[in-house]
Amino acid sequence: MKRLAMAATFALALSIGGWGQAAAQADERTTAQAADVQAAGEAGNSDADSPGTEDPPTEPGDDAADPGTPTEPGDGEESTDPGGDENAADPGDGEEAADPGEGSDEPTEDSTPIDASFSLDQSSMPVDEAAEAIPYTITGLKAGDTVTAGPGENGSITVDSDGTFNGELRGNTELKVGDVVDVTVTVARDGEESKTFSGSVEITDSQNDSDAAVSVDPQSQGIDSYLDNGVDITVSNCEAGEEVTVTIVRKGEDTNIWEETKTAGDDGSVSTSFMPGTGGDGWIGDFVVSAECGDTSAETTYSVTEDDDSSDADLSVTPQSQKLADFLENGVNITLVDCHVDSEVKFQVSSAKDPDTVIWDETQEAGEDAAGSVQFLPDGDGGKGWIGDFNVLASCGDKSAETTFTVTDDGSVVDPKLSINPETISGEDFIDRDQGVQLMVNECVPDAEVHFEVYSGDKSEKLYEQTATTNEEGAAGIHVYGLGDDPAYYFGTYQVFADCMDVSRSGKFEVTGGESGGGNGGDSGEAGGGSSMPRTGAELTGLTAGALLILGGGAAIGLARRKNKS
């Protein structure tokens, strides 16, 4: 940037109208400055040396390393812990979904937190340049955000698109060498608390091109962003091939937290990055960055602030309310943002009726966007049991958030019930065709086919099957009993399956020892043990030989029973 020679003290008044913001395209000089702002926000560009690894810094707090003992210079290594390691949440193992309870509370709305960062192009500027315009950069904005920078009187500027915004402060205030301009920038977003950033620019005499200059991007950011991304540092106006030493100390202290030495490129500049690594809240505060090359030096500052502690702002569930059929097919999408990259993100779902019982959980690593996202797809066997309200809990590190979603009854899901009566019967009663076992399906739909199947206890052999049609109340049933004369052949457990409208239900019944016995199939451990049962009256075409053991006696018995009661 061109600098004009001038006296030690300089005062300049600009156009009438007070301090304010101007578009970066106002004139050719503004365009050039906006380009400089963009370059400052992207320290470490292709024309400069790429950042190296650094040695771990000492602690930035009161327990920093002994004064005068800097760490060894290195390229891009992580720092030591300034305030204790952060504890990540224990990962959980995925579990099978359990039937939930019921409820009807309305869901809450999603919210998108502001995650922006702010930086000034330079921490010090010649008086002539600062009087004309002080450029700044804000990253991480969303279209529709409003930016208000001060001191100024021109109101707010609405951002047109997501990403980076470059602005300038202009005004008619007289500036002189030695002044410090305190800059405040506020970002506002509908439905969110606004965030305010600050920085300062020291007004200096016209710079000699031989003086070193150092800039940091961003100059202010929250602790989570700082731990994940660190800061980019650019040193300029050194001699090509000259050694450049960069150090960081906590403001007000002398002990180096970090130090690195690099060689200036052909353009006399050096770019590097400082990554704090672990340390958590111990990094909150103000820091001073110093650079030395040859006989010149320069310094600037940056700040690390405490993040917002909004309990629900980071977690979203989509959709938050839907019908049962849609839920069973698509589930819900759950997202937690503002974690650390590669940190473990844990999700849990529980019923609002029983919040202490986790019916589903999953753990994953946050991606490069510092977010975790999962899909919760319920077990379809839950049927109408999924109707109601559900709690969602998500956590990463020491952050956690809660929200809810709701599933409503749309009448589209069939949830038939299977009853077996009796579930335990003696062999004598089982071969009595007037008794036997009744298999009933209720709460299906009218005029639907219900398919019944009976298997041996180990389900290795199908013994009987029958299809019945439901009545107007959605009920159907069959009657099963032993075909033979010796009850001992039927001792054991039987598995029952009933299918209505592609929804399957299962149960079992047991035949126990009675007064009469004998025969070759008396082992009660497995149903259907006989090998030479009579076939009289059996209509079991297509079934295996073992199926000759039992016979269905009739369909739609549920309707007949209701008529008898009336």
Side-chain angles (χ1 to χ4, degrees):
M1 187 178 291
K2 184 178 180 181
R3 300 174 174 81
L4 302 178
M6 48 189 3
T9 303
F10 182 85
L12 178 63
L14 295 180
S15 59
I16 300 174
W19 278 86
Q21 297 164 294
Q25 296 79 13
D27 51 41
E28 294 180 358
R29 184 180 183 91
T30 303
T31 303
Q33 291 167 336
D36 291 342
V37 171
Q38 182 66 26
E42 299 174 353
N45 55 59
S46 60
D47 294 332
D49 294 343
S50 60
T53 57
E54 306 95 5
D55 282 337
T58 58
E59 297 180 350
D62 295 336
D63 296 332
D66 293 338
T69 308
T71 58
E72 290 296 327
D75 292 344
E77 297 179 0
E78 293 187 350
S79 68
T80 56
D81 181 7
D85 290 335
E86 294 178 283
N87 294 322
D90 292 334
D93 296 328
E95 298 179 1
E96 294 293 331
D99 286 354
E102 300 178 353
S104 60
D105 291 341
E106 290 297 324
T108 60
E109 294 184 353
D110 299 345
S111 60
T112 304
I114 297 174
D115 185 17
S117 61
F118 160 77
S119 63
L120 289 164
D121 183 23
Q122 301 178 60
S123 60
S124 62
M125 294 183 66
V127 63
D128 57 328
E129 296 178 7
E132 182 175 351
I134 298 176
Y136 63 90
T137 301
I138 307 177
T139 61
L141 298 182
K142 297 291 185 182
D145 288 351
T146 56
V147 178
T148 305
E153 300 175 355
N154 288 354
S156 301
I157 295 177
T158 301
V159 178
D160 294 331
S161 60
D162 296 353
T164 301
F165 173 79
N166 298 317
E168 292 181 339
L169 291 176
R170 295 189 172 196
N172 63 353
T173 302
E174 292 185 352
L175 298 176
K176 61 181 182 294
V177 175
D179 284 350
V180 175
V181 179
D182 293 323
V183 178
T184 300
V185 175
T186 299
V187 178
R189 181 176 299 167
D190 288 345
E192 297 294 329
E193 289 189 11
S194 61
K195 282 196 173 182
T196 300
F197 306 93
S198 61
S200 61
V201 179
E202 182 180 358
I203 307 303
T204 65
D205 198 354
S206 295
Q207 286 188 350
N208 187 313
D209 287 343
S210 63
D211 291 341
V214 60
S215 63
V216 177
D217 179 40
Q219 284 193 307
S220 178
Q221 61 181 318
I223 181 63
D224 280 343
S225 174
Y226 180 66
L227 292 175
D228 289 337
N229 306 312
V231 291
D232 295 324
I233 303 170
T234 302
V235 183
S236 56
N237 294 341
C238 297
E239 295 292 335
E242 193 171 42
E243 284 194 346
V244 181
T245 299
V246 183
T247 60
I248 295 178
V249 300
R250 183 179 286 275
K251 193 171 184 178
E253 299 180 5
D254 297 326
T255 303
N256 287 348
I257 295 172
W258 173 81
E259 179 179 308
E260 182 182 43
T261 299
K262 300 186 73 172
T263 302
D266 293 339
D267 60 353
S269 68
V270 164
S271 294
T272 187
S273 296
F274 170 60
M275 294 293 298
T278 60
D281 292 345
W283 288 106
I284 295 174
D286 298 322
F287 299 87
V288 178
V289 180
S290 301
E292 295 182 359
C293 57
D295 297 329
T296 65
S297 63
E299 67 178 33
T300 187
T301 62
Y302 68 89
S303 300
V304 180
T305 60
E306 186 175 0
D307 286 330
D308 257 347
D309 191 21
S310 176
S311 59
D312 294 330
D314 301 332
L315 179 64
S316 63
V317 176
T318 306
Q320 283 199 306
S321 180
Q322 61 181 321
K323 295 179 179 180
L324 177 58
D326 296 331
F327 175 67
L328 293 177
E329 181 177 358
N330 304 314
V332 292
N333 296 313
I334 308 172
T335 301
L336 183 69
V337 300
D338 290 340
C339 296
H340 301 312
V341 176
D342 295 331
S343 64
E344 288 184 338
V345 186
K346 185 174 183 180
F347 300 90
Q348 291 182 345
V349 174
S350 61
S351 167
K353 289 188 65 177
D354 185 13
D356 295 330
T357 301
V358 176
I359 61 178
W360 175 87
D361 68 4
E362 183 170 325
T363 299
Q364 64 168 224
E365 287 189 352
E368 294 184 358
D369 57 355
S373 184
V374 295
Q375 182 190 38
F376 168 46
L377 191 62
D379 183 351
D381 288 344
K384 291 186 178 181
W386 288 108
I387 297 171
D389 293 338
F390 298 88
N391 298 331
V392 180
L393 173 65
S395 61
C396 58
D398 57 359
K399 297 183 62 176
S400 64
E402 295 184 57
T403 188
T404 62
F405 68 88
T406 301
V407 179
T408 60
D409 187 4
D410 56 1
S412 63
V413 177
V414 176
D415 190 17
K417 303 294 189 297
L418 171 65
S419 64
I420 300 174
N421 185 37
E423 293 183 352
T424 301
I425 188 173
S426 69
E428 290 286 347
D429 289 341
F430 186 65
I431 63 174
D432 184 346
R433 300 189 181 189
D434 294 329
Q435 297 190 57
V437 177
Q438 294 179 348
L439 310 180
M440 288 287 300
V441 167
N442 294 287
E443 298 184 30
C444 193
V445 296
D447 297 322
E449 288 190 346
V450 181
H451 188 71
F452 295 90
E453 293 180 347
V454 180
Y455 285 78
S456 58
D458 59 1
K459 294 188 286 188
S460 63
E461 187 176 16
K462 183 190 292 185
L463 304 177
Y464 180 71
E465 65 179 353
Q466 176 72 36
T467 298
T469 302
T470 60
N471 61 15
E472 68 276 8
E473 297 180 11
I478 64 171
H479 180 204
V480 295
Y481 50 86
L483 182 62
D485 297 327
D486 190 344
Y489 283 109
Y490 303 99
F491 295 168
T493 300
Y494 297 82
Q495 300 289 334
V496 177
F497 296 90
D499 184 273
C500 181
M501 301 296 291
D502 296 326
V503 179
S504 181
R505 295 291 181 259
S506 63
K508 63 183 178 179
F509 65 89
E510 182 181 7
V511 179
T512 63
E515 293 182 359
S516 58
N520 297 323
D523 185 1
S524 62
E526 180 179 341
S531 60
S532 58
M533 294 302 301
R535 302 189 181 188
T536 304
E539 299 177 0
L540 305 174
T541 304
L543 300 183
T544 65
L548 298 176
L549 295 174
I550 59 178
L551 174 68
I557 60 175
L559 178 60
R561 292 174 64 195
R562 279 190 294 276
K563 288 182 177 180
N564 290 337
K565 289 182 178 180
S566 63

